[in-house]
Amino acid sequence: MELDFSFIIPVYNRPDEIKELLESMQLLTGNIPFEVVIVEDGSTVSSEEIVKQFATKMKVSYYFKENSGPGDSRNYGMKVAKGNYFIILDSDCILPPQYLTEAQKALKNKYVDCFGGPDAAHASFSNIQKAINYSMTSFLTTGGIRGGKKAVDKFQPRSFNMGLSKKAFSITGGFGKIHPGEDPDLTIRLWKNGFETALFPKAFVYHKRRISWEKFYLQVKKFGLTRPILNKWHPETKKITYWFPSLFVIGFLASILLWCAGINLFILLYGCYFVAVFIEAAIKNNSIKIATLSLYAVMIQFFGYGLAFVKSTFLVTFSNRKPEAIFPKLFFN
């Protein structure tokens, strides 16, 4: 199959990010033809002038639409794209020069209709960004579900770095209205339609995540709220692993109470876990400061996701209302 690549990039009020991403695309190696489709999702701060600066340097097109969320914007981009294989990126990503070469090589070696790649921290990222990146990508914290070489479950690509064939898009209809959660929902529907997904470890991106501690907490909280909704929609995909953050939080709080009562074993076990996290983060980032910040990031991640998951599971399970009515802010009209 001859591969014809189209990069699909939704953007919302982030012209500076688009500029950095397009600059990195200029440096892609391998002389592989591609087009770039920028979809402005109802922004009040336009990226159009930035995109025009690159019009003579690469094949890039710009579209503006009313705000309807990133999933719908990706669908819009895939509908107008001319390629037969789409690569979906977040606007806050930077591509390494070999990205497209590695993606093409992996697809020619073993073709799949949907792939995902890891994310990494660029040397220019802030210490907080690097700590959050560690928390979101380490096997010790997420089990590798966001692109590690090892994983506790079948790999589910994420739309910050996802490849999708035109055929798979046409059959599934692309992303749904939920956000976040549109990525695993699409992946599950792909599986149900007989499509395979795969991890391409060498097709990684630098993902800035453009977040503070407060925004990181809100992000992981939303992840925790959406997973029980996906479990309701796709009950065959329920996994005990989705409960791990909640069990971690409950166990941690219980271990503190037991420690106050003079029982030290469980708090020592948690201490060993945090030591392991600290050592791995320090080695990966070559920084004690980032390792310390990583401990804080891990706690935010577990508490934000874990408590939200319990809340959402209870409401989705025992309420007669649809998820859209229970959590309207998680859905775009």
Side-chain angles (χ1 to χ4, degrees):
M1 177 182 180
E2 189 66 28
L3 295 171
D4 189 7
F5 293 105
S6 295
F7 284 100
I8 311 298
I9 307 162
V11 59
Y12 181 73
N13 290 340
R14 302 288 177 175
D16 291 342
E17 290 180 352
I18 286 296
K19 185 173 186 293
E20 286 187 292
L21 177 51
L22 291 175
E23 285 175 342
S24 72
M25 287 179 166
Q26 287 185 276
L27 303 177
L28 289 173
T29 58
N31 197 30
I32 302 171
F34 64 88
E35 71 162 336
V36 183
V37 179
I38 307 293
V39 182
E40 192 95 61
D41 185 26
S43 300
T44 56
V45 183
S46 175
S47 300
E48 185 172 12
E49 291 303 315
I50 295 294
V51 175
K52 285 181 179 179
Q53 296 175 18
F54 292 85
T56 60
K57 304 172 184 177
M58 65 178 69
K59 190 177 180 181
V60 57
S61 54
Y62 171 89
Y63 298 89
F64 181 92
K65 53 178 278 300
E66 295 301 315
N67 180 252
S68 58
D72 188 59
S73 296
R74 297 179 195 118
N75 292 344
Y76 183 98
M78 288 186 280
K79 288 176 182 176
V80 300
K82 297 178 175 59
N84 62 11
Y85 209 99
F86 311 125
I87 298 180
I88 303 160
L89 303 171
D90 278 357
S91 63
D92 59 349
C93 289
I94 299 172
L95 297 184
Q98 73 279 9
Y99 176 87
L100 195 54
T101 302
E102 294 294 348
Q104 183 188 66
K105 185 190 303 182
L107 284 168
K108 288 187 174 181
N109 181 53
K110 185 181 179 181
Y111 180 84
V112 290
D113 285 278
C114 180
F115 76 84
D119 55 342
H122 194 272
S124 65
F125 289 4
S126 71
N127 287 340
I128 290 179
Q129 286 175 319
K130 291 177 181 178
I132 290 173
N133 180 79
Y134 168 81
S135 180
M136 294 292 283
T137 60
S138 171
F139 183 78
L140 291 177
T141 56
T142 63
I145 64 171
R146 297 185 67 86
K149 293 182 180 180
K150 299 178 181 179
V152 296
D153 200 359
K154 191 175 179 181
F155 181 66
Q156 299 182 12
R158 295 295 192 267
S159 57
F160 65 81
N161 180 13
M162 174 190 283
L164 185 69
S165 72
K166 185 175 183 178
K167 177 183 178 182
F169 169 66
S170 298
I171 290 178
T172 61
F175 296 93
K177 295 292 186 180
I178 191 171
H179 178 71
E182 70 272 28
D183 302 348
D185 174 59
L186 173 57
T187 299
I188 295 166
R189 288 188 285 110
L190 286 166
W191 293 339
K192 289 180 178 179
N193 281 279
F195 295 108
E196 291 186 16
T197 60
L199 166 67
F200 291 172
K202 294 184 179 180
F204 69 90
V205 300
Y206 298 114
H207 195 191
K208 289 183 289 186
R209 300 188 187 278
R210 66 167 187 263
I211 46 183
S212 62
W213 292 125
E214 292 78 13
K215 290 181 179 178
F216 180 50
Y217 175 78
L218 180 61
Q219 180 188 52
V220 294
K221 177 182 177 181
K222 286 183 176 180
F223 289 158
L225 292 175
T226 56
R227 178 54 66 177
I229 298 173
L230 298 176
N231 289 344
K232 182 178 179 67
W233 290 350
H234 310 287
E236 71 280 5
T237 65
K238 289 182 180 180
K239 302 286 184 181
I240 187 62
T241 53
Y242 298 144
W243 279 95
F244 283 0
S246 303
L247 296 175
F248 178 95
V249 172
I250 294 170
F252 181 71
L253 296 175
S255 70
I256 293 176
L257 293 176
L258 291 171
W259 175 65
C260 293
I263 302 174
N264 300 326
L265 174 62
F266 297 100
I267 199 70
L268 289 174
L269 291 175
Y270 274 92
C272 291
Y273 170 78
F274 288 124
V275 168
V277 166
F278 182 86
I279 292 173
E280 185 189 45
I283 293 173
K284 283 187 173 182
N285 293 283
N286 194 29
S287 170
I288 297 299
K289 183 175 182 179
I290 295 174
T292 303
L293 292 172
S294 296
L295 292 175
Y296 188 53
V298 169
M299 291 299 288
I300 291 176
Q301 180 176 316
F302 279 133
F303 273 81
Y305 180 101
L307 296 178
F309 181 86
V310 172
K311 172 185 176 181
S312 181
T313 298
F314 179 82
L315 292 175
V316 170
T317 302
F318 297 104
S319 174
N320 293 324
R321 296 182 297 165
K322 293 183 177 180
E324 294 89 333
I326 301 173
F327 301 112
K329 292 183 178 180
L330 298 178
F331 293 87
F332 282 90
N333 296 323

